[in-house]
């Protein structure tokens, strides 16, 4: 140390080092903050760019994708046609989702579509819609049970559904859209639910996060038109009733199929049960169909065993009291039951019963039927 030179104070040295450290940390924090802000801005920019160009647009544009078009070609074409905002972002989306092949041809696209809908439509050639819910309606379900199912599976209210399918103004509108299928028979005084039996049992894709009950009902009616009604229209269906040939209306056809649906446990049984009902209808005015499910429907209850006291319920749907078919369907019949009406077994059976295991036993005479009852029912 030179003469007159002042030794640095240790505290000063420590202060200097601390300041340098603080500055370094501050600079690092600023850099990190800028990176975070930049990243967030980029993510926000990308997300905004990937949103539909105009969510409220009802515009539909015919877009033709040429054979062999690349991702770049398709992206630029969509931007030029006003379907997307940014071709670069769309191309990035395609790359991130490993989408590189497209169907050539004409597509109806809209600025209201998001990237997923557009890309999957171009990839498959079919308009893509995201499925939010799967709704499976089992065969033999009633309108009431379908209402319970809707409330269980979807964010909808059963009471709203029941109110809708009983609204006469709404039903009249449906009649205009399904004029051949929905006749005035659905408005008969004794009908409990006008659309009973007409809501086809199948699995439906629900493509709205907040489902529309009207659209769901129409999906089911469309399925009935494509299946049961189409089969009905494929031929002339008649039954011999009281020695006269009677042509079934679709309402009666569906009603008949619903009775078979609620009674049968197998495809073979359905054809035989159909023959039992047909034989009874043809026999004489005094022989009712006597099928237990109609009693339960009349009482609006579900249970495994029908008691003798149940058979006395005074209701048009009770086939122990009233002859012929019920005023309308008692459930939604599946394809096997519908087919059984078209292709009944050729038998002389007039009676059948199910044992404790659900197996049906058929008989031609009342005496045989009684023996089956003693053997399979009373012995247990």
């Amino acid at each position: 140390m030179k003469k007159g030179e002042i030794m640095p104070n240790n505290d000063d040295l420590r202060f200097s080092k601390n300041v340098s450290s603080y500055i370094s940390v501050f600079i690092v924090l600023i850099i990190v903050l800028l990176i975070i802000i930049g990243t967030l801005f980029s993510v926000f920019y990308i997300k905004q760019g990937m949103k539909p160009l105009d969510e409220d647009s009802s515009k539909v544009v015919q877009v033709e994708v040429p054979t062999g078009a690349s991702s770049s070609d398709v992206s630029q074409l969509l931007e030029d046609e006003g379907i997307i905002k940014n071709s670069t972002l769309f191309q990035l989306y395609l790359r991130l989702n490993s989408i590189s092949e497209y169907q050539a041809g004409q597509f109806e696209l809209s600025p209201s579509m998001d990237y997923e809908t557009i890309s999957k439509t171009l990839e498959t050639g079919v308009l893509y819609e995201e499925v939010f819910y799967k709704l499976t309606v089992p065969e033999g379900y009633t309108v009431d049970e379908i209402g319970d199912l809707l409330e269980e599976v979807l964010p909808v209210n059963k009471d709203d559904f029941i109110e809708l399918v009983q609204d006469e103004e709404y039903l009249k509108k449906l009649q205009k859209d399904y004029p051949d299928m929905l006749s005035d028979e659905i408005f008969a005084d004794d009908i409990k639910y006008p659309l009973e039996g007409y809501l086809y049992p199948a699995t439906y894709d629900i493509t709205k996060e907040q489902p529309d009950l009207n659209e769901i009902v129409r999906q089911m009616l469309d399925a009935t038109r494509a299946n049961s009604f189409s089969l009905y229209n494929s031929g002339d269906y008649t039954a011999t009733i009281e020695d006269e040939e009677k042509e079934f209306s679709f309402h009666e056809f569906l009603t008949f199929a619903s009775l078979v649906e609620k009674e049968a446990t197998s495809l073979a049984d359905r054809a035989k049960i159909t023959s039992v009902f047909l034989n009874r209808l043809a026999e004489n005015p005094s022989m009712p169909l006597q099928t237990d499910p109609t009693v339960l429907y009349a009482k609006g209850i579900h249970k495994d065993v029908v008691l003798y006291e149940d058979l006395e319920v005074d209701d048009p749907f009770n086939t122990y009291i009233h002859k012929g078919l019920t005023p309308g369907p008692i459930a939604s019949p599946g394809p096997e039951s519908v087919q059984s009406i078209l292709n009944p077994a050729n038998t002389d059976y007039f009676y059948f019963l199910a044992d404790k295991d659900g197996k049906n036993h058929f008989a031609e005479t009342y005496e045989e039927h009684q023996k089956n009852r003693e053997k399979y029912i009373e012995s247990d």
Side-chain angles (χ1 to χ4, degrees), residues 246-366:
K246 182 181 185 303
E247 184 178 352
F248 283 151
S249 67
F250 179 64
H251 185 75
E252 292 169 322
F253 177 85
L254 207 58
T255 298
F256 198 167
S258 75
L259 301 184
V260 174
E261 179 66 51
K262 297 300 287 185
E263 279 284 15
T265 55
S266 71
L267 183 57
D269 280 355
R270 283 176 168 83
K272 289 180 182 178
I273 289 171
T274 301
S275 76
V276 170
F277 290 158
L278 286 173
N279 290 339
R280 286 193 167 216
L281 288 171
E283 180 61 13
N284 59 59
S286 64
M287 196 168 198
L289 296 182
Q290 295 181 316
T291 171
D292 289 357
T294 63
V295 174
L296 298 178
Y297 186 80
K299 298 191 72 172
I301 59 175
H302 305 284
K303 63 180 184 178
D304 295 329
V305 180
V306 175
L307 304 176
Y308 284 112
E309 62 191 49
D310 295 324
L311 305 182
E312 298 174 359
V313 59
D314 185 12
D315 188 279
F317 278 85
N318 182 356
T319 55
Y320 278 85
I321 295 178
H322 299 277
K323 301 174 307 216
L325 297 174
T326 51
I330 62 171
S332 294
E336 291 86 0
S337 294
V338 170
Q339 286 287 354
S340 76
I341 308 302
L342 310 182
N343 302 289
N346 184 14
T347 78
D348 293 320
Y349 294 138
F350 281 86
Y351 304 90
F352 69 94
L353 57 79
D355 61 26
K356 62 182 178 62
D357 297 318
K359 182 179 179 181
N360 285 310
H361 301 273
F362 296 83
E364 294 182 11
T365 66
Y366 183 70

Side-chain angles (χ1 to χ4, degrees), residues 97-114:
N97 288 275
S98 302
I99 299 174
S100 58
E101 295 184 0
Y102 317 96
Q103 299 289 327
Q106 283 199 339
F107 297 87
E108 291 188 346
L109 302 175
S110 170
S112 63
M113 294 178 173
D114 59 19

Side-chain angles (χ1 to χ4, degrees), residues 31 45 99 133-134 169 193 260 371:
I31 293 172
Y45 177 75
I99 299 174
Y133 310 97
K134 286 277 189 182
E169 185 178 346
Y193 294 108
V260 174
K371 288 180 181 179

